[in-house]
Amino acid sequence: MSTAIGEDFDADRWRARFRLDGKVAVVTGASSGLGVAIALGMAAAGADVAIGARRVDRLQETRKAVERLGRRCIAVPTDVTIIEDCTRLVESAVNELGRVDILVNNAGIGGEYHQATEDPPEHFRHVVDVNLFGSYWMAQAAGRVMQPGSAVVNISSVLAVTTAKMPAAGYSAAKAGILGLTRDLAAQWGRKGIRVNAIMPGVFPTEATAHYSPNYTRKLIDARIPLGRIGDPEEIASTAVFLASDAAAYITGVAVAVDGGVLLL
Ligand code: NDP
């Protein structure tokens, strides 16, 4: 006997796919900008959150905001260039929140603008150290404790695959490296039930872009952003929550541009 269309559709089960109830998310770089929005987005979707960055006072502000949403939160001073710090952030999450289901590798720096022939080696090294190496140390630590059903979301950039017509070799290389890291870890960990994806943000109003003048931002929007505006950090957070959730259970190894169409042009 055939069932009517939709008879066995469970709307509650469907809605639960988009939730993170009972999960624990680790978010790096949650002392400002996109990391704050991501931590709050994870909490609003039901996850407890462990946050890491270097500025402890700012991290505590994020912790309080997460707690106001009714979720547990621990703030762990973390420099992602230091492997022991990365390990400690993940261990603290396991010890105090019970598990790690989600890692968002968001900590990053834009670096300075140097022509390649003038770029100080230490500058290039540092930009790669924070953006790429830091993401790998965090992924290693999380990958050791994550159970099947877990997810890593790496914050890359549209500059991984295009240019801003400003010299940013270290940043572009590091963010492109994150896409390679995403693919490799996704392939390595697929059978362990751990998904690994990346987000490529376009332009968002944070400390990283605070030096953009209104005039530069206007020109950027006119020339490069088909949707006609810069992004809202919550639009990165919602994408991170989606990729971390069971709604994205069959998505791994991809990079999602959240850029208002920058990559179309
Ligand atoms: P912000 O400068 O506001 O935030 C960067 C965050 O990274 C801060 O919380 C900072 O915390 C943290 N961080 C920097 N260095 C370290 C470190 N060594 N160890 C731990 N944490 C560190 O910038 P955004 O929010 O814009 O940037 C977030 C991510 O998004 C970055 O990876 C950035 O490259 C990426 N991105 C942003 C875009 C934008 O338009 N805003 C566009 C494309 C990508 P603290 O200083 O306290 O350590």
Side-chain angles (χ1 to χ4, degrees), residues 115-151:
Q115 292 298 328
T117 48
E118 312 293 332
D119 200 359
E122 279 318 309
H123 171 256
F124 188 93
R125 279 201 185 95
H126 185 58
V127 171
V128 176
D129 206 9
V130 177
N131 290 293
L132 179 58
F133 290 11
S135 298
Y136 190 45
W137 310 143
M138 283 302 307
Q140 283 190 309
R144 291 183 185 118
V145 301
M146 282 175 151
Q147 300 297 312
S150 299

Side-chain angles (χ1 to χ4, degrees), residues 28-36 38 52-59 78-82 85 105-110 126 129-131 155-159 171 175 178 199-209 212 236:
T28 65
S31 60
S32 64
L34 303 183
V36 174
I38 293 166
R54 295 163 306 169
R55 285 172 295 172
V56 178
D57 49 339
R58 296 284 298 267
L59 216 47
T78 308
D79 183 333
V80 296
T81 66
I82 300 172
D85 279 18
N105 269 320
N106 165 76
I109 54 166
H126 185 58
D129 206 9
V130 177
N131 290 293
I155 305 300
S156 172
S157 166
V158 288
L159 294 192
Y171 186 76
K175 293 301 190 182
I178 285 176
I199 294 174
M200 298 185 291
V203 184
F204 289 79
T206 66
E207 289 178 20
T209 52
Y212 290 10
I236 296 296

